[in-house]
Amino acid sequence: MEQKTLQLLDDEQMQSFISKGFLILKTDFKNEFHTRLLEQLDYVYEKEGNPGNNLLPRIRELQVVFDSPVIKGALTSVLGPNYIMHTHRYGHLNSNPVPGGWHKDSYWGYQRMRNHKQWWAMIMYFPQDTPLELGPTGVMPGTQYHESRIFEQDDNDWEGKANGGAGTFALIHYDIWHRSNSNLTGKQRYMLKFEFMRTDAATEPTWNCTDPQWQAPSALDIPMDRHDLLWENNWNWMAGKGGDLSGRQSGGEHADVAEFAKQLQNEDAHVRAEAANQLGLLAGPDAGQIRQLLADALQDSYEPVRLNAAYGLAACGSAGAELLLNAVKDGEKPVAVSAAYGLTASGAYAEEGLIRLTKSDKELTVHLAAFALGELDAVGEAAAQAIIGLTKHASAIIRRTAVEVLGNLQVTDNGAITAALAEALADEDHQVRFWAGLSLAKKGPQAESAIPELVHALDDDSRYVRGHAAEALRRIGTNESNNVLLDYLLATRWCPISTPQNEWYP
């Protein structure tokens, strides 16, 4: 089969994706392709019900969609060339004239820290013409970085909607707030949702990059809060330049600092958020007055203010990192969480302090410290050992965080990381096993010694642990792992033409 050139995103599209959290794109399949696809979907959903995670094997033609140069190019651009498809796939039907509720999807429970950096993405594919009246998915731009819903249920003036012709799809940051819109036609609307994961940190741009320098949108066409330092940091990380703001050149003391300080007291939360954003851009190791203003802003009740303050403090070098570490140790949860995100961009200044915090007797502190260590560009052996030790912690929440972090940690594995992950595959908590399997999949050939535990995990009670184990065996890629995986897949093979409506013989 002819291999078509991937249609990678360009700089402007990547800048929009990083700031707004989504892109609406379209495949180039002919109408006949989608007509056949819709006929199969109608038959399966009417006669057999929703196939859930078996959507892809039940309707094999869908693989053509995800092999298309448009979708593969988009995913490669934001997740790198070694991304993997998650075992959770789902086809949503919408015939409801009432819009759905705004929500974020769960990875597997809502207790984990969400990644600002681009480790996950989602494709929402529309196989039929989807005008606004058919109820396309809607997203709130820029909210992929916000834990809280900072907009009203009916505040849809700046909602992005995935309306368009058959083959339109939304590429979204996994954590963006989204919903289904009102279907006013009385007809069914399909949306096919697939998740994808990055397996390694970026070493170079994987999109069509012509200018490696971050160019912030000069003006946004929607009234969303700006997070310029956060956006710049993510761009640099995705371009392989690292996600460390601590060495960023200071903007120095500035004539407008007094005005920004005044704006931090404004009753309008959006004004305060922009003041913190501007102060962050001026921040640096020598900007003492700005550092104190940002430390005060870190206590703000409005999440975008706290995030801008946290990333601004990350740009303040060791003194900023110390303020963030203290906030993780002693702050109330909303403040501590925002501070942890700032520490992910604080580089080497944060590492030693975060290792200390993993010894805390406070569950939240340990959870946040472990998360932040996993997001640093590179850490030493002491950090790896601290995280490995947490895989045996009494708290399941901390064990989940630890095994996930071990998959992201940018440190050479001397075998201890793989051994800890292999042992975690037998944890009593199914979410720990979920993350352990996924982390081993990310390790690829380095996880070879875990083959026996991965084979056992193929019979786990959790469908996702099984899926991650199979993916890990595929990525290990040795003769042993390939043979084990092939035997498993043949024994569990899904036959797409054996259905309750289809005689089994002949």
Side-chain angles (χ1 to χ4, degrees):
M1 181 181 296
E2 179 185 359
Q3 295 293 318
K4 296 185 178 179
T5 302
L6 297 185
Q7 296 185 28
L8 300 173
L9 302 179
D10 60 27
D11 287 342
E12 185 176 355
Q13 288 174 310
M14 284 297 293
Q15 290 156 8
S16 181
F17 181 81
I18 287 171
S19 57
K20 295 183 180 180
F22 75 100
L23 292 171
I24 306 300
L25 304 168
K26 191 175 185 300
T27 56
D28 56 0
F29 296 110
K30 295 181 179 179
N31 289 335
E32 291 80 2
F33 172 83
H34 286 110
T35 297
R36 293 194 303 272
L37 184 57
L38 280 172
E39 288 174 351
Q40 293 180 74
L41 286 166
D42 286 339
Y43 178 86
V44 169
Y45 277 72
E46 179 183 348
K47 301 294 186 182
E48 304 166 22
N50 194 322
N53 288 337
N54 286 321
L55 179 62
L56 190 58
R58 181 63 188 90
I59 304 177
R60 285 293 300 154
E61 287 77 1
L62 270 178
Q63 187 61 50
V64 176
V65 170
F66 294 103
D67 287 338
S68 71
V70 178
I71 287 186
K72 287 190 72 172
L75 289 169
T76 297
S77 295
V78 301
L79 297 178
N82 299 319
Y83 70 84
I84 56 179
M85 178 189 286
H86 196 276
T87 53
H88 176 63
R89 306 93 187 258
Y90 199 78
H92 286 267
L93 283 178
N94 177 27
S95 58
N96 197 336
V98 178
W102 289 104
H103 65 281
K104 286 177 180 258
D105 282 2
S106 165
Y107 296 82
W108 189 251
Y110 285 94
Q111 294 170 312
R112 74 178 291 273
M113 286 285 283
R114 296 175 181 269
N115 305 95
H116 285 179
K117 295 184 174 75
Q118 197 65 46
W119 284 101
W120 295 69
M122 196 146 54
I123 294 287
M124 296 179 169
Y125 192 82
F126 295 85
Q128 72 282 297
D129 291 340
T130 308
L132 290 175
E133 57 268 23
L134 195 61
T137 297
V139 298
M140 271 297 178
T143 59
Q144 68 274 21
Y145 304 121
H146 303 155
E147 291 287 325
S148 52
R149 199 189 79 199
I150 57 175
F151 52 90
E152 298 299 325
Q153 176 72 16
D154 298 323
D155 182 13
N156 59 1
D157 291 342
W158 46 294
E159 178 181 353
K161 297 178 181 179
N163 57 294
T168 295
F169 67 96
L171 169 70
I172 69 172
H173 188 296
Y174 185 91
D175 296 324
I176 202 164
W177 285 87
H178 60 280
R179 69 170 178 177
S180 60
N181 274 282
S182 303
N183 185 344
L184 305 176
T185 66
K187 301 176 182 179
Q188 292 280 20
R189 183 273 284 157
Y190 291 101
M191 184 273 282
L192 310 179
K193 183 182 75 174
F194 285 68
E195 302 171 21
F196 300 86
M197 300 162 293
R198 174 186 286 274
T199 59
D200 42 33
T203 58
E204 61 182 357
T206 54
W207 66 93
N208 183 21
C209 181
T210 58
D211 183 358
Q213 293 301 119
W214 166 252
Q215 299 293 329
S218 58
L220 298 171
D221 54 358
I222 48 177
M224 56 180 267
D225 294 305
R226 296 183 68 101
H227 296 294
D228 282 281
L229 270 188
L230 193 168
W231 299 341
E232 177 185 331
N233 191 59
N234 281 1
W235 169 276
N236 288 339
W237 185 79
M238 294 172 74
K241 296 189 291 183
D244 182 356
L245 292 171
S246 65
R248 190 176 187 275
Q249 186 173 0
S250 171
E253 303 296 351
H254 194 274
D256 292 333
V257 168
E259 179 59 29
F260 294 143
K262 180 180 178 181
Q263 291 172 5
L264 285 176
Q265 307 304 316
N266 197 290
E267 292 184 0
D268 188 328
H270 301 294
V271 172
R272 301 200 305 275
E274 182 55 22
N277 183 53
Q278 292 300 322
L279 286 170
L281 291 171
L282 295 174
D286 301 323
Q289 179 188 6
I290 291 173
R291 183 172 65 248
Q292 187 55 55
L293 289 170
L294 291 172
D296 294 340
L298 187 62
Q299 308 295 321
D300 199 278
S301 61
Y302 187 56
E303 185 179 8
V305 178
R306 297 197 304 272
L307 288 177
N308 284 338
Y311 278 91
L313 287 170
C316 291
S318 60
E322 195 61 33
L323 289 167
L324 292 169
L325 287 164
N326 288 336
V328 169
K329 180 170 66 76
D330 299 323
E332 296 296 322
K333 183 175 181 179
V335 174
V337 168
S338 296
Y341 285 119
L343 286 166
T344 68
S346 295
Y349 292 118
E351 183 176 346
E352 184 178 343
L354 287 171
I355 293 173
R356 289 198 307 270
L357 292 184
T358 63
K359 308 299 192 294
S360 170
D361 57 2
K362 292 171 60 176
E363 181 182 67
L364 177 63
T365 299
V366 178
H367 168 59
L368 296 178
F371 163 79
L373 276 174
E375 295 290 281
L376 294 179
D377 289 335
V379 295
E381 181 64 22
Q385 289 302 317
I387 300 299
I388 288 172
L390 295 180
T391 64
K392 298 182 182 297
H393 199 279
S395 165
I397 291 175
I398 290 174
R399 296 200 305 277
R400 295 168 197 165
T401 304
V403 294
E404 180 187 2
V405 164
L406 289 178
N408 296 346
L409 212 58
Q410 296 181 54
V411 62
T412 301
D413 182 10
N414 59 9
I417 291 177
T418 295
L421 291 173
E423 185 174 349
L425 281 174
D427 196 280
E428 64 182 7
D429 183 83
H430 62 277
Q431 292 190 45
V432 173
R433 303 196 303 274
F434 172 100
W435 291 110
L438 180 55
S439 288
L440 285 167
K442 291 179 178 179
K443 291 295 179 185
Q446 297 181 67
E448 181 179 359
S449 61
I451 290 177
E453 290 83 1
L454 289 167
V455 171
H456 184 74
L458 291 173
D459 292 320
D460 196 273
D461 292 339
S462 167
R463 71 195 74 183
Y464 299 116
V465 176
R466 294 186 183 201
H468 291 163
E471 186 64 56
L473 289 166
R474 181 185 74 86
R475 286 180 50 76
I476 289 171
T478 64
N479 287 336
E480 180 185 5
S481 67
N482 287 341
N483 288 335
V484 168
L485 179 59
L486 184 60
D487 289 344
Y488 169 75
L489 293 176
L490 285 173
T492 58
R493 184 180 70 88
W494 176 278
C495 178
I497 59 175
S498 295
T499 69
Q501 286 69 40
N502 223 340
E503 292 291 342
W504 69 272
Y505 179 83

